[in-house]
Amino acid sequence: MKTSLASSAAVSLFILASAGASAAETGPLPGVHSEELMNVVVVSRHGVRSPTQSAEKLESWSSKKWPNFGVDPGILTKRGYYLVERTWALNRTRAPFTYGTCPKPDDVQIIADTDERTIATAKALNEGLYPGCGYQVRTTDKKHSALFSPLKAKVCKIEYPKELAEKLTERAAGFSKIYGSEIAEVEKILGRELTGKMRGKASKHKVGYEGAPYSAASITEIFALEWGQFPGQKAGWGVLDWPGIMQLMPLRVGVFTALNRDMEVAAYKGSALAKKIIDSLDHGPKYTYLVGHDTNLANLGVLFDLNWKLPNRAKNENTPGGYLTFEKWLVNGEAEIRVYYSALTPEQMNAETVTEPTADFEILPRGVKFDEWKKASSRFLFSKCIEDGAL
């Protein structure tokens, strides 16, 4: 498996010719005589939510009074709904999103994962972008989505969980030292020491990390959520402005990347969503919106060999409400693929009101042929984790 995945990565890197470009030229390339937008697929993370951890877990991290997000654990907050709705209301004024009138019903599909926060985010997107159009958010009636979470939905299983856990543990070796200063700063803010060796854990349908670096990374994510939830306020009990959060963010992104940008993990967890994107661009409706989690975006990042770096944010940071946009264009009669990452700026996240659209960055070089991209990307996917017609 390792050899096969590594070979696919090499093929993809060769074909896509280093997909690390950030800001892009916005005009046509030399020699382009005609361009037509064919299909658009957006994959969005849910908006600002409350911490997913229980009150008991938070208490084990710190005895300080944790902020009240006003909702149960893991739920999209009122503020989170506003930020998403406002993002897409502003997007209504610009390409590639339809503005002025409602597209035909068959031209739009909006699909969300089964969590409340993803469904609510999809509704906020729908309300902001297509007010009064009457589109419905679709989701499975099952507990877990075979599209967003094929492992949890038991579409497939991890073949060698022990070996995968050992590999992840090896990937994280030295994290306590590498991110020692960040962990120490988190502990200082908490007023409590975090314990436990960083190690991977895996079963047939679940994979993750545990240990002090993982806990500190999760707490950093809570601080980032606080920044969006409470406009005009500092996070971490009033001690962290955005530069302070940014000093901790390498820990969060490093731990998150070690797990969710591992190629094997991404193939298990992200193949179904990647296939949905390819199919929707190939022969789907003009507009497809898929609302999931930061893990989904990270999985797609490694499967499609995509990286993003927005100003004043860490590389491959996944902002609440941030999204990837895949566009299929017909250029001089031949299909090409363009990919962007977009998110509100830190200033927008912490402002009382949002008045400007998201910052957008093109993260794939112009001129990549769609069929070549599709062929290269498909090499990564585990067919066993893809259920036909999955929601």
Side-chain angles (χ1 to χ4, degrees):
M1 181 181 298
K2 291 181 180 177
T3 301
S4 174
L5 291 171
S7 299
S8 296
V11 171
S12 179
L13 286 169
F14 174 76
I15 292 177
L16 297 184
S18 178
S22 52
E25 48 189 308
T26 55
L29 292 175
V32 171
H33 305 296
S34 65
E35 292 187 331
E36 180 184 358
L37 179 64
M38 304 300 292
N39 300 86
V40 177
V41 177
V42 169
V43 186
S44 174
R45 183 191 177 185
H46 59 74
V48 173
R49 56 157 174 78
S50 57
T52 56
Q53 295 80 10
S54 66
E56 292 75 19
K57 184 64 176 179
L58 294 175
E59 172 66 23
S60 75
W61 283 339
S62 179
S63 60
K64 296 181 181 180
K65 183 176 174 60
W66 289 82
N68 182 4
F69 281 67
V71 292
D72 290 338
I75 301 297
L76 188 77
T77 66
K78 182 178 179 180
R79 168 71 176 178
Y81 191 100
Y82 163 77
L83 290 173
V84 173
E85 188 275 335
R86 188 64 181 151
T87 291
W88 289 97
L90 291 166
N91 279 348
R92 198 165 70 234
T93 65
R94 59 183 186 151
F97 307 106
T98 300
Y99 49 91
T101 60
C102 300
K104 299 175 184 177
D106 290 344
D107 282 347
V108 176
Q109 62 175 344
I110 306 172
I111 303 173
D113 197 4
T114 57
D115 300 275
E116 183 279 342
R117 59 185 176 273
T118 54
I119 296 172
T121 296
K123 290 178 178 178
L125 181 155
N126 191 13
E127 181 180 329
L129 187 58
Y130 298 121
C133 293
Y135 306 131
Q136 298 298 311
V137 174
R138 299 169 57 200
T139 189
T140 181
D141 55 4
K142 299 177 182 178
K143 183 177 181 180
H144 298 294
S145 166
L147 181 60
F148 293 92
S149 305
L151 282 178
K152 290 182 179 179
K154 298 185 178 180
V155 175
C156 59
K157 64 180 181 180
I158 296 172
E159 296 295 338
Y160 303 101
K162 180 180 178 182
E163 289 80 354
L164 178 55
E166 290 173 349
K167 181 181 73 170
L168 291 174
T169 299
E170 185 177 344
R171 283 194 76 178
F175 271 25
S176 294
K177 183 176 181 180
I178 294 170
Y179 300 111
S181 61
E182 289 90 346
I183 296 171
E185 182 61 25
V186 171
E187 291 176 331
K188 178 181 176 182
I189 296 169
L190 296 174
R192 186 171 294 176
E193 183 181 1
L194 299 171
T195 60
K197 184 179 179 180
M198 183 81 167
R199 69 181 188 91
K201 53 182 183 177
S203 61
K204 289 183 178 180
H205 301 290
K206 193 174 182 180
V207 59
Y209 272 123
E210 64 182 10
Y214 177 76
S215 296
S218 299
I219 293 162
T220 299
E221 175 64 7
I222 294 175
F223 294 155
L225 290 166
E226 289 178 26
W227 182 257
Q229 173 64 18
F230 304 107
Q233 298 183 30
K234 293 182 179 181
W237 296 282
V239 303
L240 287 174
D241 55 12
W242 186 253
I245 295 174
M246 275 294 292
Q247 287 183 348
L248 303 178
M249 196 57 72
L251 164 67
R252 161 64 180 171
V253 175
V255 170
F256 190 80
T257 294
L259 175 62
N260 294 292
R261 279 182 172 259
D262 175 85
M263 181 60 75
E264 185 177 354
V265 172
Y268 278 118
K269 296 174 65 176
S271 289
L273 196 59
K275 183 66 160 52
K276 177 67 175 179
I277 293 167
I278 293 170
D279 289 347
S280 296
L281 291 170
D282 216 2
H283 48 72
K286 184 163 186 176
Y287 298 97
T288 297
Y289 304 91
L290 305 168
V291 182
H293 305 267
D294 49 359
T295 52
N296 295 126
L297 270 69
N299 296 158
L300 294 173
V302 68
L303 291 173
F304 289 139
D305 192 21
L306 300 170
N307 296 280
W308 47 89
K309 172 70 174 75
L310 273 61
N312 209 14
R313 291 197 180 277
K315 180 180 178 181
N316 292 328
E317 180 184 340
N318 283 303
T319 303
Y323 56 95
L324 287 167
T325 303
F326 298 81
E327 300 177 7
K328 181 182 176 183
W329 287 79
L330 199 63
V331 180
N332 293 340
E334 190 168 7
E336 295 184 0
I337 179 72
R338 298 173 187 174
V339 186
Y340 301 80
Y341 180 76
S342 309
L344 293 174
T345 66
E347 293 76 17
Q348 288 173 311
M349 291 292 292
N350 193 242
E352 189 70 39
T353 58
V354 178
T355 59
E356 297 292 334
T358 52
D360 304 329
F361 288 83
E362 190 165 5
I363 55 176
L364 194 68
R366 284 290 177 98
V368 175
K369 304 305 180 186
F370 177 77
D371 286 342
E372 293 179 354
W373 173 82
K374 179 174 70 171
K375 181 178 179 181
S377 300
S378 296
R379 295 172 185 265
F380 290 101
L381 309 186
F382 286 169
S383 59
K384 61 188 176 183
C385 294
I386 301 171
E387 182 181 279
D388 291 339
L391 282 180

